[in-house]
Amino acid sequence: MRIVLLGPPGAGKGTQAVRLAETYAVPHVSTGDILRFVVAWETEIGKRAKSYMDEGELVPDELVLELLRIRLAQEDAASGFVMDGFPRTLPQAEALDKILAEIGQRIDGVIYLEVPDELIVLRLSARASCPTCGRTYNLLASPPKEDMRCDRDASPLFQRDDDRPEVIQQRLNVFKRQTHPLIA
Ligand code: ADP
């Protein structure tokens, strides 16, 4: 099963991707997670990616594509994937078609999650994540039992650098300009 989730930041792609990946027993492939992992290692590629992410801009296609190729070549992705955050531009979508054609595969379905802007701003401003298990919380709607600690493993929760109001607006603009055309 090969599924792609499309939608603005904060639509819930990550949350639904985890559930779908469990249902179909395939990996959840999130380019955002891969990029944050690379950034955490403070390599040259990581520093380059961070400069775009902090501004709410897209990381250049060639860099994301290189990381995606490496991820899809891993054994667990042979049986399929639930992709979240990729493709985000027309060239990325065309590149994905090409990568899949090379291995004789195709996408089974694309799910578009549509959420009004006002709700996205509310959700992202209230989002906190666990660095250990990756679980996300909405600090207003579904806060953890203990203040800013994960219910599962008690790790201190963090808020993403790009979940600041000015960056959220920029991410929404970028979605409308560069990713929304993919729906057609
Ligand atoms: P969200 O969907 O909540 O914005 P992501 O975790 O998917 O968050 O992405 C965070 C940031 O990582 C994006 O704002 C962008 O800078 C970068 N990024 C993630 N996926 C891609 C991609 N496919 N192409 C370019 N940049 C990406």
Side-chain angles (χ1 to χ4, degrees):
M1 183 58 82
R2 292 178 177 77
I3 300 175
V4 168
L5 290 175
L6 269 187
K13 299 184 297 295
T15 305
Q16 300 307 325
V18 169
R19 295 183 187 180
L20 286 167
E22 251 171 49
T23 304
Y24 292 109
V26 291
H28 165 210
V29 175
S30 154
T31 43
D33 286 350
I34 294 172
L35 285 165
R36 279 184 287 280
F37 182 81
V38 172
V39 166
W41 282 85
E42 294 183 356
T43 55
E44 271 318 302
I45 292 186
K47 281 182 203 153
R48 216 179 129 209
K50 186 173 166 31
S51 64
Y52 293 96
M53 293 165 79
D54 283 351
E55 299 298 317
E57 297 288 345
L58 294 185
V59 174
D61 287 342
E62 92 275 357
L63 206 163
V64 177
L65 275 166
E66 194 182 325
L67 294 170
L68 186 84
R69 272 184 188 278
I70 294 170
R71 180 63 188 93
L72 290 187
Q74 283 168 2
E75 212 180 307
D76 63 340
S79 57
F81 49 73
V82 178
M83 215 171 258
D84 143 28
F86 186 98
R88 248 174 159 104
T89 62
L90 285 172
Q92 288 184 10
E94 283 156 7
L96 178 61
D97 277 345
K98 206 162 146 231
I99 294 172
L100 291 179
E102 279 164 19
I103 54 169
Q105 299 295 345
R106 55 194 302 254
I107 291 165
D108 295 295
V110 179
I111 301 170
Y112 172 46
L113 299 179
E114 195 172 8
V115 178
D117 287 5
E118 315 80 74
L119 198 53
I120 285 170
V121 175
L122 275 178
R123 279 187 188 177
L124 292 181
S125 322
R127 172 161 80 176
S129 318
C130 172
T132 310
C133 72
R135 181 166 170 184
T136 57
Y137 295 83
N138 182 302
L139 297 175
L140 301 172
S142 56
K145 292 196 185 75
E146 204 188 318
D147 189 37
M148 286 305 270
R149 292 215 172 247
C150 180
D151 289 346
R152 228 177 255 159
D153 48 47
S155 304
L157 302 180
F158 73 99
Q159 288 191 274
R160 271 170 47 178
D161 285 343
D162 58 354
D163 279 346
R164 287 170 289 132
E166 62 283 12
V167 185
I168 293 172
Q169 194 50 54
Q170 174 58 13
R171 284 158 66 201
L172 275 173
N173 296 343
V174 166
F175 172 78
K176 283 180 192 149
R177 209 171 48 233
Q178 292 180 270
T179 309
H180 198 268
L182 289 183
I183 293 160

